[in-house]
Amino acid sequence: MTAVNALIIDDSEIDRYILSRQLKQIGITSIVEKDDGLAGLNFLDAYDENKLKAGDSFPPNIIFLDINMPQINGFEFLERFKALRAKHELLSCVIMMYSSSERQEDKDRAYAYEFVKDFVVKGESSAEEIAAKIKNIQ
Amino acid sequence: MNISRKLMIIVVLTIFEISLTLFSMFEILQGAKFHQLNMLHLKYISEFSEQVMLTDDVDDLDTEKLRKTIYDIRQQPIDCLAQINGIEKFIMRRIGTYEAIELCEKDIVDANEGLKLIDSFVRNEISWQEFFVKLGSVSNILNQNSIDFEEPIVKTVEFIFNAMVPLVVIISIINIIFITYLSKNITGSINKVIALLSRENTNEAIDETISRNVSGEIKELLVVAGARLKEELVKTEINQKLELLVEQRTESLTKANDELAQFAYRMSHDLKAPLTSAKGLAQFVVQDIGEENFGEASENSVKIVSQMEKLERLIISVLALNDPEPKPEETSLVDMESVLSNVRENNAELLKENQCQFSGEANVEGDVQTNEKSMTLILDNLVSNAAKYCDKNKDFQFVKIIINEQKFDYSIRVVDNGLGIPEERLSEVFQMFKRFHPNVSFGSGLGLATVKKHVDYLKGSISLESSTKGTTFIITLPKEDTV
């Protein structure tokens, strides 16, 4: 597995903790957490500053994205991220949805973006399963 | 006069005119017929004279032939008398030509004399010479009758022609004048009605205008047409209202359906989220205990409890949101001071925790007729929101309730100097599951939706003004429902 820089965007502190701990269990240590789509976008947009600060740990190459968030939700994030990818060197960065939603409608809407590679339903995947999914999309 | 009566006069005049014309023609033809009969009469007299003149000897005399000729002569006055009618007799008496009828009667008598003469001769009662002389005399008399007959007939025909033709012409002229007058009259009436109906800026009702200015069939037509038109208008109006109602209902149902779908989705998501989180945490607790990492296990157990509490609050909020609408009889006279005091007490812990000062004033006369439960629930939610989302960066934090009695309604203002709601999200405040400061405090996102619902129950309205300086909710409750 190549080095994974993970970015978790979720408004639930506990869900971030759970995913973060699962990622650590499978050996991913470069993890950044953001509590809203807006915070996630700001983080990516401050590209030069973060690159300088974090070095190889930036930019993230996998973003775990929640859907229901108060300020900028997952779908709004995807739309804005599309523009941001071209602006910065984020073309190798892919997204894995991380949501409680099991609705096909939400899955279809997310998969409409070419950079969305998988859809993890919260509470349904073990650390090992997440590892397999990551391996699969790399 | 009604149009139909005027038209009837025209019809009567026309029938009279046609009748007179036909009568005149008939009489003129009758005159011609009498002339014909007289010509025939003369022809037979001529034959008779010839038979008499050509007889030189008594042996040549054919009495039967003479008798037959006299029968033929007598037939014309008989036919003439048979054809003449009462009107002709009346006219002839009035214009002094009745002698023609008397001449016919005389001619029959004279012809009968001739026949008697033949009978006398056949019976040898008179001599051949006497018979011959008398026969010549009869022929002359009959001939004279024919000559005399012409004059009264010509006079009668002339009279009919001279009298009837001008009469027909006069009646025709009257008829034409009357038709022209009526035509103008009808056109005038219609134009008058058009002018009346086209008139603008009149205060008089159209029904009264018609009743005062129009009469006859046009009035009747307008009344019937007006009634029909009104009926059609009412139908159209009802149809339009129904269409609008259907449209509004459809829109409202579609909206309700969308809201319900959204509600169901958010409910399933928000109910499931704390459960999923708790499940994940519980797995870690098991794992940590196994690894004797009791510190983390303990921390995660606390988090599980907080997730369960979150779930509990959410369920309570949903249940509150679905409280049945209070019935009018569930209102009572409520002491607003007591409501304010209860709201302060209900939120005491939260206010204290956030160092938020509460104050309330009720500028009302006596008690207010309202539903106490709804009123308390509205104020509780607004005050708890103000406490939860207070701005710690400000010198002090406050929430203030001011209730004012106005002429027609009560105005309730809930003012705080908290974080405020982002301007671009103001339109979403009363929607379910909307939270604007998720990191500041806990909440289900149902509080303001519940407030809105209970304000609606009380037939009131709610609006808000918000900035980073704070938020003011303004609730207006009508007096007629609350007094």
Side-chain angles (χ1 to χ4, degrees):
Chain A
M1 193 186 284
T2 52
V4 171
N5 291 333
L7 169 62
I8 304 172
I9 304 174
D10 195 324
D11 62 322
S12 163
E13 189 189 345
I14 292 171
D15 290 347
R16 290 200 304 270
Y17 166 77
I18 293 169
L19 181 61
S20 176
R21 188 167 155 165
Q22 283 180 320
L23 292 179
K24 279 173 190 159
Q25 279 177 2
I26 57 171
I28 297 169
T29 51
S30 171
I31 304 167
V32 175
E33 293 178 23
K34 294 291 167 192
D35 64 359
D36 191 81
L38 184 63
L41 287 167
N42 288 340
F43 174 69
L44 295 171
D45 202 22
Y47 189 90
D48 297 333
E49 189 188 325
N50 287 319
K51 181 79 190 157
L52 204 66
K53 212 190 286 177
D56 289 343
S57 305
F58 189 87
N61 43 26
I62 297 181
I63 299 173
F64 292 89
L65 181 65
D66 186 21
I67 292 177
N68 288 297
M69 290 181 286
Q71 292 178 56
I72 290 203
N73 68 31
F75 294 120
E76 283 176 273
F77 177 91
L78 291 174
E79 194 56 37
R80 296 201 200 183
F81 179 70
K82 196 161 74 173
L84 214 57
R85 283 180 90 217
K87 186 177 168 188
H88 302 298
E89 288 172 33
L90 293 167
L91 292 173
S92 59
C93 177
V94 293
I95 289 175
M96 195 178 281
M97 301 307 289
Y98 182 63
S99 168
S100 308
S101 173
E102 290 176 88
R103 288 203 305 184
Q104 192 56 41
E105 188 188 327
D106 285 345
K107 289 182 183 171
D108 292 344
R109 206 172 153 192
Y111 282 130
Y113 297 89
E114 46 144 344
F115 44 82
V116 174
K117 298 294 180 191
D118 212 331
F119 200 108
V120 178
V121 177
K122 286 180 183 176
E124 288 187 0
S125 296
S126 63
E128 290 71 27
E129 282 164 345
I130 290 172
K133 281 174 183 286
I134 292 170
K135 198 178 171 189
N136 202 28
I137 61 173
Q138 274 192 319
Chain B
M1 196 191 280
N2 286 344
I3 294 172
S4 57
R5 284 191 188 164
K6 289 172 185 169
L7 287 173
M8 193 52 76
I9 291 174
I10 293 175
V11 170
V12 169
L13 279 174
T14 310
I15 290 171
F16 187 51
E17 183 188 332
I18 293 169
S19 306
L20 272 181
T21 310
L22 288 175
F23 174 74
S24 306
M25 281 169 66
F26 174 77
E27 288 308 318
I28 290 163
L29 282 173
Q30 190 84 324
K33 205 169 191 177
F34 292 157
H35 277 304
Q36 253 183 346
L37 286 171
N38 201 24
M39 286 303 115
L40 203 58
H41 191 256
L42 277 172
K43 180 193 157 216
Y44 288 130
I45 291 169
S46 169
E47 276 179 19
F48 180 69
S49 300
E50 216 170 278
Q51 283 167 14
V52 174
M53 295 298 180
L54 291 175
T55 309
D56 298 330
D57 195 316
V58 71
D59 297 330
D60 297 335
L61 191 66
D62 184 347
T63 52
E64 279 315 302
K65 196 175 176 188
L66 280 173
R67 199 188 299 275
K68 190 183 171 291
T69 308
I70 291 175
Y71 281 139
D72 287 340
I73 291 169
R74 197 180 61 171
Q75 193 56 42
Q76 280 82 55
I78 290 170
D79 287 351
C80 190
L81 286 174
Q83 284 181 24
I84 209 143
N85 58 41
I87 298 170
E88 285 158 357
K89 281 181 187 168
F90 173 78
I91 292 171
M92 288 167 104
R93 270 204 187 97
R94 304 301 298 174
I95 62 170
T97 56
Y98 196 71
E99 59 182 288
I101 294 167
E102 290 167 347
L103 270 172
C104 287
E105 287 163 351
K106 181 180 172 288
D107 200 58
I108 295 166
V109 172
D110 292 340
N112 287 342
E113 282 302 317
L115 291 172
K116 277 183 198 167
L117 196 63
I118 293 170
D119 291 343
S120 299
F121 175 71
V122 171
R123 287 196 299 266
N124 291 320
E125 286 169 8
I126 52 169
S127 67
W128 154 249
Q129 285 79 13
E130 191 185 352
F131 172 64
F132 189 76
V133 171
K134 282 189 177 178
L135 214 53
S137 170
V138 167
S139 172
N140 286 340
I141 290 168
L142 290 173
N143 198 38
Q144 190 58 46
N145 286 347
S146 248
I147 293 163
D148 293 346
F149 182 76
E150 270 302 293
E151 194 191 344
I153 293 300
V154 168
K155 270 173 94 179
T156 307
V157 169
E158 267 178 7
F159 169 77
I160 288 169
F161 190 80
N162 291 339
M164 292 302 166
V165 170
L167 193 60
V168 168
V169 169
I170 288 167
I171 291 171
S172 299
I173 290 169
I174 292 173
N175 212 1
I176 289 166
I177 291 169
F178 200 73
I179 289 170
T180 310
Y181 160 74
L182 190 61
S183 158
K184 279 195 174 176
N185 188 274
I186 293 170
T187 313
S189 298
I190 292 169
N191 286 339
K192 191 175 161 189
V193 170
I194 292 170
L196 277 175
L197 295 178
S198 313
R199 207 163 59 184
E200 286 173 6
N201 302 327
T202 172
N203 294 326
E204 195 178 26
I206 195 73
D207 290 353
E208 284 172 32
T209 312
I210 290 170
S211 173
R212 216 158 42 78
N213 296 291
V214 188
S215 62
E217 285 97 335
I218 295 183
K219 181 181 178 179
E220 213 173 304
L221 172 76
L222 286 175
V223 169
V224 173
R228 183 62 197 269
L229 212 60
K230 270 182 198 162
E231 210 175 290
E232 289 296 318
L233 277 175
V234 168
K235 270 189 203 164
T236 312
E237 205 176 319
I238 290 172
N239 282 343
Q240 279 174 345
K241 276 185 185 166
L242 280 176
E243 274 172 26
L244 191 68
L245 196 67
V246 169
E247 210 174 292
Q248 284 170 345
R249 291 272 158 86
T250 310
E251 198 181 321
S252 148
L253 280 174
T254 310
K255 200 177 158 197
N257 204 29
D258 289 349
E259 276 178 9
L260 193 66
Q262 181 70 3
F263 178 76
Y265 170 61
R266 293 306 308 251
M267 272 299 293
S268 67
H269 175 271
D270 286 36
L271 286 174
K272 193 184 159 200
L275 275 177
T276 309
S277 304
K279 183 179 130 193
L281 289 168
Q283 283 165 349
F284 291 149
V285 170
V286 173
Q287 196 180 346
D288 289 339
I289 290 171
E291 291 167 7
E292 296 187 354
N293 188 357
F294 297 116
E296 188 130 11
S298 171
E299 271 175 34
N300 285 341
S301 299
V302 172
K303 284 179 188 169
I304 290 171
V305 172
S306 85
Q307 289 302 297
M308 291 299 109
E309 283 172 347
K310 188 178 169 184
L311 193 60
E312 189 180 26
R313 279 198 304 274
L314 183 66
I315 289 168
I316 290 168
S317 302
V318 171
L319 292 176
L321 190 69
N322 288 309
D323 270 357
E325 182 175 349
K327 293 173 187 145
E329 61 268 24
E330 285 174 8
T331 62
S332 58
L333 281 171
V334 177
D335 174 11
M336 294 310 283
E337 291 289 355
S338 150
V339 170
L340 290 176
S341 165
N342 288 339
V343 170
R344 181 204 295 269
E345 207 174 296
N346 295 344
N347 292 282
E349 205 176 315
L350 203 58
L351 289 163
K352 193 179 167 190
E353 197 180 297
N354 291 287
Q355 295 175 326
C356 184
Q357 292 172 15
F358 174 89
S359 64
E361 54 182 88
N363 305 314
V364 292
E365 275 187 33
D367 295 344
V368 173
Q369 185 79 36
T370 189
N371 182 284
E372 188 170 3
K373 193 180 161 197
S374 287
M375 181 64 85
T376 309
L377 201 139
I378 291 166
L379 296 177
D380 261 350
N381 267 293
L382 294 177
V383 169
S384 74
N385 270 358
K388 282 193 275 186
Y389 303 108
C390 64
D391 189 353
K392 300 274 166 41
N393 293 325
K394 287 171 184 152
D395 294 341
F396 66 96
Q397 292 78 39
F398 72 85
V399 55
K400 191 161 59 178
I401 301 176
I402 308 147
I403 304 171
N404 283 325
E405 181 172 357
Q406 299 172 149
K407 196 170 177 184
F408 301 110
D409 48 38
Y410 294 101
S411 146
I412 303 170
R413 297 166 71 84
V414 181
V415 188
D416 69 46
N417 65 340
L419 292 166
I421 296 158
E423 200 184 338
E424 67 276 12
R425 309 293 295 275
L426 280 176
S427 60
E428 301 169 29
V429 290
F430 298 115
Q431 292 178 16
M432 291 183 284
F433 303 106
K434 290 290 173 186
R435 300 191 62 217
F436 307 109
H437 303 289
N439 302 325
V440 179
S441 183
F442 60 89
S444 59
L446 289 170
L448 287 178
T450 309
V451 166
K452 174 78 171 71
K453 192 167 178 179
H454 282 267
V455 169
D456 288 345
Y457 284 165
L458 300 179
K459 313 248 180 318
S461 61
I462 182 165
S463 61
L464 77 154
E465 291 159 6
S466 190
S467 71
T468 49
K469 289 178 183 169
T471 303
T472 301
F473 283 92
I474 305 136
I475 299 165
T476 308
L477 297 176
K479 251 184 178 177
E480 54 264 32
D481 286 320
T482 49
V483 173

